[in-house]
């Protein structure tokens, strides 16, 4: 979506994936994503939504939000579409 008065809005779509944990195995269905607002101060607001299909066929809606801080260098690389090591 690009630049807004509040920062840069980017939408990352989930095409597929998997989930695994104690008592839950399943897949991430296409159509979810992360609606990120990267503010100019380096803080990003995350808005993640996805649907999981558990092994027993049940559908689970997941909605998670939060804030992510990153250095100006890492932010520039993310906005340029370059890979960034998660440790950074």
């Amino acid at each position: 979506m690009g630049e807004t008065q509040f920062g840069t809005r980017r939408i990352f779509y989930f095409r597929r994936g998997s989930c695994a944990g104690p008592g839950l195995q399943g897949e991430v269905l296409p159509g979810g994503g992360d609606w990120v607002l990267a503010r100019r101060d380096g803080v990003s607001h995350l808005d993640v939504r996805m649907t999981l299909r558990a092994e027993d066929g049940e559908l689970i809606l997941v909605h998670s939000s939060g804030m992510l801080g990153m250095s100006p260098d890492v932010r520039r690389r993310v906005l340029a579409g370059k890979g960034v090591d998660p440790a950074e």
Side-chain angles (χ1 to χ4, degrees), residues 2-3 12 15 18 25 42 50 65 68 86-87:
E3 288 297 318
F12 298 92
R15 294 184 184 163
S18 62
Q25 302 281 327
M50 69 181 86
S65 62
L68 171 68

Side-chain angles (χ1 to χ4, degrees), residues 21-76:
L24 177 65
Q25 302 281 327
E27 64 177 315
V28 177
L29 299 180
D34 188 357
W35 287 257
V36 179
L37 176 64
R39 298 185 332 201
R40 290 175 187 85
D41 65 0
V43 175
S44 293
H45 290 261
L46 310 177
D47 180 7
V48 179
R49 300 168 192 212
M50 69 181 86
T51 304
L52 308 177
R53 179 180 293 130
E55 280 185 318
D56 64 3
E58 290 293 320
L59 298 177
I60 303 167
L61 173 63
V62 178
H63 180 202
S64 177
S65 62
M67 297 175 73
L68 171 68
M70 63 184 87
S71 72
D73 176 58
V74 170
R75 184 171 180 268
R76 272 192 298 278

